[in-house]
Amino acid sequence: MPFARDLAAHGDRVALHTPSGTVTYRALAERVAATAERLGPVRRLVLVAGANRADALVTYLAALSAGHPVLLVPGDSDEAIASLTAAYTPDVVARTGTDGTWTLDEHHPGTAHTLHPDLALLLSTSGSTGSPKLVRLSHDNLRANAESIATYLGITDTDRAATTLPMHYCYGLSVIHSHLSRGAGLLLTERSVTDEAFWAEFRAAGATSLAGVPYTFDLLDRIGFDRMELPRLRRITQAGGRLAPERVARYAELGRRRGWDLFVMYGQTEATARMAYLPPHLAASRPEAVGIPIPGGSFHLRPLDDHEHEHALAPGHGLTAGHELAPGHGLAPGRASDHGPACGEGDRPPLVGELVYSGPNVMLGYAESPADLSLGRTVVELRTGDLARQAPDGLYEIVGRRSRFAKILGLRIDPQRVEAALERHGVRAYCAGDGDELAIAAAGTTADEPRLRRLAAAACGLPPRAVRLRALPEADLPRLPTGKPDYTAVRHLTRPAAPPSAAARSTHTPTDGHTADAGTTPAHEHTPAPGSVTAAQRATPADRGATAEPPSDDRPPVHDRPSTDDRHPTDRLRALYAEILDRTDVTDDSTFVGLGGDSLCYVEMSLRLEQALGALPPDWHTRALRDLATAAAPPAASARAGTGPARPGLRRTLETGIALRAVGIVLIVGSHIHLFSVQGAAHILIGVAGHNFARFHLTDAEHRTRIRHLWRSIARIALPSMAWITAAVLATGLYDPANALLLNSLVDQGPERHEWHYWFIEALLYFLVALALLLALPLVDRLERRHTFGLPLALLAVGLLGRYDIAGLAPARFHLGPTVVFWLFALGWAAARATTARRRLLLTAVLVLATPGLFQPDQQLRTVVVIAGLTLLIWVPTLPSLAPLNRLAGLLAGSSLYIYLTHFQVYPHLQDDFPVLALLASLAVGIAYAAVTTRVTRAVRRP
């Protein structure tokens, strides 16, 4: 392999720009040779956990140069590494160890395999996590494709490319191959293009080339790429999914003005990477075309049989005027008026057929087991599964799909696997891609549709909104006369009755057009496009499905109403305390916290007290009832005398903690529904929970009483939560027993959003249980009473170790891990004890410094929201308000735990068609569950 074997020929030119410095080609060659020697002279199967770091690249190049076949897998997926290790039993596994160092783990002293002499590389067919079906690529495949790409891109030894795509992804790997083949430089980075540090690295390295998938361009638009000054940029390449023609044209024009070229490309993993490219000078005028074959390759169109041809030309699926939609994918907009007739003689359209590629980069074949590694070439040409035509100007255009794979929101979806997943749940279903949605006809009733939609979405990783499902009696599922599924009918059957508006159509851009790669969009760049689902993130995250949260309360407060109670204020307050706290032992000397009051009932109590007393003192929860009654006596007396109002006017104050809980729960539910997207409330409410913990649990009560009250509060959170989640496990099948037991954060079963829905409750309970055990120690109890600010400050310091994951305990969804967010709880606790401006300034500084980096680089608004909310909690104890707002805030804050707990099972039924109703229904169901829980709790406590 020349680009791996002849590195030293480029001498002291810089090969790699890494976070730790530059590496010359000579130094890279030495490291590669040393690693090759470690791998030994016997050809072995080497699994490399791909990552955009020097150690991974050196091992990969060492294996190739020494003739060892490489099984390249996602380095950030333990599941894929474990699955493929089990399936193929590699001789050597090269990956990052638990301590962060790169390791070579020998599983066999020699080799356990019969390896064909041409075999060089094994890649996943679809970017999936651990699928055993792999593409077998030869040394000639890699060499030929690297040379071809370097030729048509015009790469020279003065180029430097940024590794914006993961190494295990065929597109990202082709960037590495093509640049090394020309002695060019690589900027090794794992940063996102939304990270300012990425662009600092890009400029510092003098990078000249940028590669992106469609979602990369979404991110570039978001960060204002068109305003960036990048004088050394020469080219941008795009593949990995269809980029809308209008965006191709826009970026081509931007490149013309700024002095760089846009190369739009088409390929599949089965073709090593690349099969076609659109010459840059045609990108603005022919943005819908995939272009011409790469140097050394050729296309021909395989005629379709009658059924396929009818399918390709079906209305809404094939060649029609204007904006054409391919079967399950889509067609490019017609451009006949700009480029001459799109038809041949007369009005005959160009021939449509399956696009078949030939060239030296066509794979050897597939592998599905270790036995297949001994096979030679089993494929001589590549049937792409794409339906295409050749326009009169010679450019090829993708007009649809013959195969059943669909690329939806950047993910390569196999409808057959979705069918199999539903079959495992006892449901017969037919699935087909249709633009940016998955169409499913399933056996069942209308009532089953929401559940089946969620099952299908979970099976393929799509958001439920991207799944169109219609339930029918099994006998009525659409079939052809042969008895086979009629997938064209499935698409039509599941479409809305009314045609979508032009605006709506524009958002459903085809996904398997001229830039459709067989590999999925890389995981670290892929999050659903704006208007669908945000990341996690996608992610990211991140993570709407997992950013639920809030500390809760017991029940909705009673509405304000004119008081006609002539009892003495002390009598009225005793009755109020007895009612809300369900106690019969209330005396004039009782306090709210002394009677076991906590964050679960302080919302209602504070609002009801404010109704009776007017403005509350900040320490009302620790004051004796008689003192509060004394404060209320003068207004009451004046009212009886007719000299003052019997109740306050509309003006009120509202505790900041209550306001944050009320606003927070609305933001959480609304963001999950996509009614709007304002994330960060979950992490604010972690701080509010810590603040309330200090106020209501760390009282002056004697040691045993404090601990007893704390365990009672833990039970009031855990039992209703476990009851509801257990019902959700049984009813939906989306959760695991670990969720019902509130243990998911401990077992860390994976990054799936639904598994992390209840992370907030788990984290809150873990904190409370740990602190209950800690405070049960007399020594710690004494320390807390003596150093009320010092102890939470020390715990904040410990929490910051978890925030930066010093011990490596963070789960796959980093920002949701209990160890990662504990510092926010400790900060809220310390804020409740910060009695001086100096202490508050210290906490604010910690907040401002530690919050950035907690979330994904493109979630800056989330960071700002968290800082703003917790700064408010630190500095502002109450906010001005009105009586109606207090009633609403009390209702929402008092039921916030239960709204959070239940809304995941409410809004999915309504969010697609009635998002506002989905929000209101989610709030209503949570409030109702709060009322039921309160009644049950009281009934259980009464003898």
Side-chain angles (χ1 to χ4, degrees):
M1 190 62 57
F3 63 76
R5 187 181 60 247
D6 300 334
L7 296 169
H10 300 293
D12 292 325
R13 297 196 62 82
V14 174
L16 309 178
H17 296 260
T18 73
S20 59
T22 59
V23 179
T24 67
Y25 269 93
R26 192 185 312 280
L28 178 61
E30 292 172 355
R31 292 179 62 178
V32 167
T35 303
E37 185 175 352
R38 289 184 61 189
L39 293 174
V42 177
R43 291 186 78 225
R44 312 164 82 184
L45 179 61
V46 180
L47 184 147
V48 176
N52 292 343
R53 50 182 289 178
D55 291 330
L57 180 59
V58 166
T59 304
Y60 171 73
L61 294 174
L64 287 185
S65 66
H68 302 290
V70 176
L71 171 52
L72 193 56
V73 304
D76 57 355
S77 173
D78 290 338
E79 179 185 352
I81 295 172
S83 176
L84 289 169
T85 298
Y88 282 91
T89 61
D91 303 310
V92 180
V93 173
R95 62 176 301 182
T96 303
T98 55
D99 60 352
T101 60
W102 187 254
T103 62
L104 293 182
D105 184 12
E106 289 194 86
H107 287 206
H108 307 110
T111 182
H113 303 282
T114 301
L115 304 169
H116 193 277
D118 293 340
L119 182 62
L121 179 63
L122 297 164
L123 290 178
S124 170
T125 58
S126 60
S128 58
T129 57
S131 171
K133 187 173 183 179
L134 304 175
V135 169
R136 294 183 292 114
L137 299 173
S138 69
H139 293 276
D140 286 342
N141 291 154
L142 303 184
R143 178 197 55 75
N145 208 226
E147 179 63 27
S148 181
I149 294 170
T151 298
Y152 73 72
L153 290 181
I155 298 172
T156 70
D157 60 6
T158 62
D159 276 303
R160 296 181 183 91
T163 57
T164 49
L165 303 166
M167 178 182 173
H168 69 268
Y169 176 46
C170 69
Y171 182 11
L173 192 62
S174 72
V175 173
I176 294 173
H177 290 172
S178 57
H179 282 76
L180 291 180
S181 72
R182 289 291 192 265
L186 292 170
L187 167 59
L188 290 184
T189 179
E190 294 184 315
R191 298 184 187 275
S192 167
V193 296
T194 61
D195 191 336
E196 291 183 3
F198 168 85
W199 296 106
E201 293 177 347
F202 193 89
R203 293 184 177 94
T208 62
S209 182
L210 185 70
V213 296
Y215 187 65
T216 309
F217 289 80
D218 292 339
L219 299 179
L220 293 177
D221 287 344
R222 191 180 304 169
I223 63 175
F225 175 77
D226 58 347
R227 299 187 298 274
M228 287 187 178
E229 294 297 330
L230 301 168
R232 302 199 63 175
L233 182 62
R234 299 175 185 173
R235 71 183 67 82
I236 293 180
T237 64
Q238 187 273 318
R242 180 181 185 272
L243 192 65
E246 59 271 18
R247 297 184 75 190
V248 173
R250 176 161 60 86
Y251 270 89
E253 175 59 24
L254 177 64
R256 186 191 64 78
R257 297 197 310 268
R258 295 296 182 89
W260 47 263
D261 290 326
L262 174 67
F263 286 83
V264 176
M265 307 182 298
Y266 165 76
Q268 292 180 353
T269 308
E270 289 86 343
T272 309
R274 226 34 70 223
M275 292 185 285
Y277 74 101
L278 184 63
H281 69 278
L282 297 176
S285 59
R286 292 286 273 124
E288 71 278 11
V290 301
I292 59 176
I294 63 174
S298 63
F299 285 129
H300 72 269
L301 298 176
R302 174 183 171 273
L304 306 179
D305 58 37
D306 291 342
H307 175 70
E308 290 174 322
H309 200 271
E310 179 182 358
H311 180 73
L313 299 180
H317 293 282
L319 297 176
T320 60
H323 200 94
E324 304 152 344
L325 294 178
H329 296 274
L331 293 179
R335 303 282 297 186
S337 61
D338 293 342
H339 302 284
C343 303
E345 297 179 6
D347 291 329
R348 292 181 58 194
L351 172 69
V352 173
E354 182 183 5
L355 191 62
V356 180
Y357 176 79
S358 299
N361 53 312
V362 172
M363 66 176 178
L364 296 173
Y366 292 111
E368 297 191 64
S369 70
D372 295 333
L373 305 185
S374 64
L375 299 177
R377 179 168 293 281
T378 58
V379 175
V380 294
E381 60 181 17
L382 180 60
R383 292 176 56 172
T384 65
D386 289 320
L387 302 181
R389 64 182 177 185
Q390 187 175 21
D393 58 6
L395 299 181
Y396 284 88
E397 299 171 354
I398 302 298
V399 300
R401 284 288 292 175
R402 179 179 179 276
S403 75
R404 295 192 56 214
F405 274 100
K407 189 168 280 189
I408 300 173
L409 300 180
L411 291 174
R412 193 184 190 207
I413 304 300
D414 183 353
Q416 189 171 357
R417 288 199 173 197
V418 180
E419 292 176 357
L422 291 174
E423 187 75 31
R424 288 194 293 272
H425 288 275
V427 178
R428 174 66 59 85
Y430 301 150
C431 309
D434 195 12
D436 264 1
E437 295 177 317
L438 182 65
I440 303 176
T445 65
T446 302
D448 295 325
E449 288 181 357
R451 179 179 67 89
L452 297 179
R453 183 180 294 110
R454 290 192 295 272
L455 288 174
C460 60
L462 288 173
R465 64 150 303 274
V467 177
R468 291 199 322 260
L469 186 141
R470 175 83 178 273
L472 303 164
E474 186 166 346
D476 293 340
L477 291 176
R479 296 178 177 86
L480 296 169
T482 61
K484 296 181 179 180
D486 186 343
Y487 292 109
T488 301
V490 170
R491 296 183 182 96
H492 285 288
L493 185 67
T494 58
R495 287 176 183 162
S501 66
R505 285 195 302 271
S506 69
T507 66
H508 286 264
T509 53
T511 57
D512 269 309
H514 58 289
T515 57
D517 281 39
T520 182
T521 302
H524 81 283
E525 284 284 9
H526 171 73
T527 50
S532 57
V533 173
T534 60
Q537 311 215 118
R538 337 90 108 325
T540 231
D543 291 328
R544 87 187 156 84
T547 53
E549 57 177 49
S552 97
D553 262 290
D554 256 5
R555 59 202 154 192
V558 177
H559 289 179
D560 285 344
R561 52 186 178 268
S563 175
T564 59
D565 192 342
D566 290 332
R567 289 178 295 174
H568 188 276
T570 305
D571 297 330
R572 286 190 283 119
L573 293 186
R574 278 202 305 267
L576 184 60
Y577 273 51
E579 173 193 349
I580 293 178
L581 297 176
D582 195 29
R583 297 289 292 259
T584 59
D585 56 346
V586 181
T587 70
D588 291 355
D589 294 320
S590 297
T591 66
F592 174 75
V593 294
L595 291 171
D598 57 17
S599 63
L600 297 176
C601 50
Y602 96 98
V603 174
E604 181 176 359
M605 180 62 80
S606 64
L607 295 178
R608 295 278 296 276
L609 283 175
E610 187 173 28
Q611 175 190 347
L613 307 179
L616 289 176
D619 61 344
W620 68 265
H621 56 292
T622 60
R623 283 201 185 190
L625 186 148
R626 69 169 71 250
D627 294 336
L628 294 176
T630 300
S638 64
R640 286 193 297 272
T643 61
R647 61 187 291 266
L650 288 178
R651 292 186 180 180
R652 297 284 194 277
T653 59
L654 183 65
E655 288 191 24
T656 301
I658 297 176
L660 290 174
R661 288 167 65 176
V663 173
I665 192 60
V666 174
L667 293 180
I668 292 162
V669 178
S671 295
H672 289 174
I673 295 170
H674 303 303
L675 194 59
F676 43 76
S677 181
V678 182
Q679 296 177 304
H683 293 76
I684 291 174
L685 295 187
I686 287 285
V688 172
H691 192 268
N692 290 337
F693 171 77
R695 295 180 67 197
F696 304 119
H697 291 295
L698 303 182
T699 66
D700 292 331
E702 62 98 20
H703 185 207
R704 289 185 179 181
T705 302
R706 289 211 311 190
I707 299 303
R708 185 172 64 251
H709 289 168
L710 181 52
W711 282 111
R712 183 179 298 164
S713 293
I714 291 170
R716 293 176 65 192
I717 297 172
L719 295 179
S721 299
M722 294 172 71
W724 182 271
I725 300 171
T726 298
V729 170
L730 298 175
T732 67
L734 289 181
Y735 304 101
D736 294 317
N739 293 109
L741 296 174
L742 300 173
L743 297 176
N744 183 72
S745 298
L746 295 182
V747 299
D748 189 12
Q749 295 187 356
E752 289 77 12
R753 284 188 172 91
H754 61 272
E755 292 182 352
W756 286 87
H757 279 173
Y758 297 103
W759 71 270
F760 180 90
I761 292 178
E762 293 181 2
L764 180 58
L765 285 172
Y766 298 166
F767 301 160
L768 294 179
V769 169
L771 290 170
L773 296 173
L774 193 63
L775 291 168
L777 302 175
L779 174 61
V780 178
D781 181 75
R782 289 195 298 271
L783 284 174
E784 191 283 322
R785 295 173 191 267
R786 185 175 304 168
H787 304 287
T788 57
F789 183 73
L791 181 62
L793 194 65
L795 290 174
L796 174 58
V798 173
L800 288 173
L801 298 179
R803 153 68 182 91
Y804 294 100
D805 199 27
I806 302 300
L809 300 176
R813 297 182 73 81
F814 176 85
H815 63 292
L816 309 183
T819 58
V820 176
V821 301
F822 174 71
W823 72 280
L824 293 169
F825 184 93
L827 184 138
W829 176 356
R833 300 302 198 217
T835 56
T836 66
R838 180 176 297 180
R839 290 178 174 181
R840 290 192 286 270
L841 282 171
L842 173 62
L843 297 179
T844 305
V846 172
L847 175 66
V848 171
L849 293 174
T851 306
L854 181 60
F855 309 111
Q856 295 296 320
D858 60 342
Q859 294 183 324
Q860 294 178 356
L861 175 61
R862 194 175 192 175
T863 300
V864 171
V865 167
V866 172
I867 292 175
L870 291 178
T871 300
L872 201 64
L873 184 69
I874 293 170
W875 289 94
V876 184
T878 60
L879 299 169
S881 183
L882 299 173
L885 288 180
N886 276 14
R887 291 195 295 269
L888 180 60
L891 186 65
L892 294 172
S895 305
S896 56
L897 173 71
Y898 305 97
I899 294 170
Y900 164 61
L901 189 62
T902 59
H903 82 286
F904 293 109
Q905 286 73 52
V906 178
Y907 76 80
H909 302 282
L910 298 168
Q911 71 173 126
D912 292 336
D913 299 319
F914 308 102
V916 174
L917 182 59
L919 173 61
L920 296 177
S922 297
L923 299 179
V925 170
I927 291 168
Y929 190 57
V932 170
T933 301
T934 299
R935 289 185 176 89
V936 171
T937 301
R938 288 180 173 177
V940 170
R941 289 180 59 182
R942 291 192 182 105

